[in-house]
């Protein structure tokens, strides 16, 4: 794994910019609430795959015309990133399996996912000595990623 110290702030700004056409198709907005120049201790290419998967899932499962929020803050020796979207509440029994390989949340929607994205994201985050969790309730789903920061 090739570790560098990428600027998370710039990385997320770039992702939102690149996703703009997809966001526009569903009438979605994406709000970034990210501190200035947050640096991560990570493999930037692998972490891009994580963020791509999380944002793609948020777009796919958001209600049309809603807002996706990405928040990130540096605290002590870690960085916490929260990505939230408004869509159907994920039942508890599905939340418990959402990071399993080949588990697909909604097989009836005709989505092209293969059930690997979140499993791979968790594996990458674990390799970086971080954690990923998910909560869902009242139509809001929030993924929380905690990673080591550059000290």
């Amino acid at each position: 794994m090739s570790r560098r110290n990428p600027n998370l702030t710039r990385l997320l700004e770039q992702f939102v910019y690149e996703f703009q056409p997809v966001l526009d198709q569903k009438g979605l907005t994406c709000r970034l609430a990210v501190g200035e120049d947050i640096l991560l201790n990570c493999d930037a290419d692998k972490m891009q795959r994580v963020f791509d998967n999380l944002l793609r899932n948020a777009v796919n499962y958001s209600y049309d015309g809603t807002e996706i929020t990405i928040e990130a803050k540096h605290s002590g020796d870690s960085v916490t990133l929260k990505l939230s979207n408004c869509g159907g509440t994920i039942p508890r029994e599905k939340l418990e399996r959402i990071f399993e390989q080949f588990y697909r949340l909604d097989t009836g929607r005709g989505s092209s996912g293969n059930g690997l994205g979140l499993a791979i994201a968790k594996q990458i985050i674990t390799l970086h000595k971080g954690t990923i969790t998910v909560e869902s309730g009242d139509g809001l789903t929030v993924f929380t990623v905690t990673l080591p920061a550059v000290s």
Side-chain angles (χ1 to χ4, degrees):
M1 197 165 49
S2 170
R3 290 192 182 241
R4 296 179 288 173
N5 297 327
N7 186 317
L8 176 64
T9 307
R10 300 298 160 256
L11 189 68
L12 292 173
E13 288 171 349
Q14 177 184 336
F15 261 100
V16 172
Y17 176 78
E18 290 173 2
F19 265 81
Q20 199 57 56
V22 179
L23 293 164
D24 290 345
Q25 285 177 347
K26 286 188 74 174
L28 298 170
T29 56
C30 187
R31 182 174 62 85
L32 274 177
V34 181
E36 282 298 314
D37 297 325
I38 297 173
L39 301 179
L40 289 178
N41 180 18
C42 70
D43 180 316
D45 293 333
K46 285 184 174 31
M47 206 50 61
Q48 285 179 345
R49 188 165 181 181
V50 170
F51 298 143
D52 180 81
N53 181 269
L54 291 175
L55 189 51
R56 193 169 305 282
N57 281 346
V59 169
N60 288 339
Y61 290 102
S62 287
Y63 292 141
D64 290 356
T66 60
E67 180 178 80
I68 296 169
T69 303
I70 302 172
E71 302 171 84
K73 66 179 181 175
H74 179 242
S75 178
D77 59 355
S78 66
V79 171
T80 302
L81 179 127
K82 290 183 183 251
L83 191 145
S84 58
N85 70 288
C86 298
T89 297
I90 303 169
R92 171 164 285 152
E93 63 275 6
K94 291 187 177 192
L95 278 178
E96 292 171 1
R97 299 190 59 203
I98 203 165
F99 296 109
E100 292 177 14
Q101 281 189 1
F102 305 113
Y103 184 76
R104 291 187 55 208
L105 184 61
D106 189 355
T107 56
R109 291 182 65 170
S111 65
S112 61
N114 57 17
L116 288 173
L118 289 175
I120 291 169
K122 182 173 183 169
Q123 189 175 41
I124 291 169
I125 291 166
T126 301
L127 280 171
H128 285 84
K129 304 203 180 335
T131 60
I132 182 170
T133 60
V134 61
E135 299 172 65
S136 188
D138 297 325
L140 184 69
T141 298
V142 181
F143 282 88
T144 303
V145 175
T146 303
L147 293 163
V150 174
S151 16

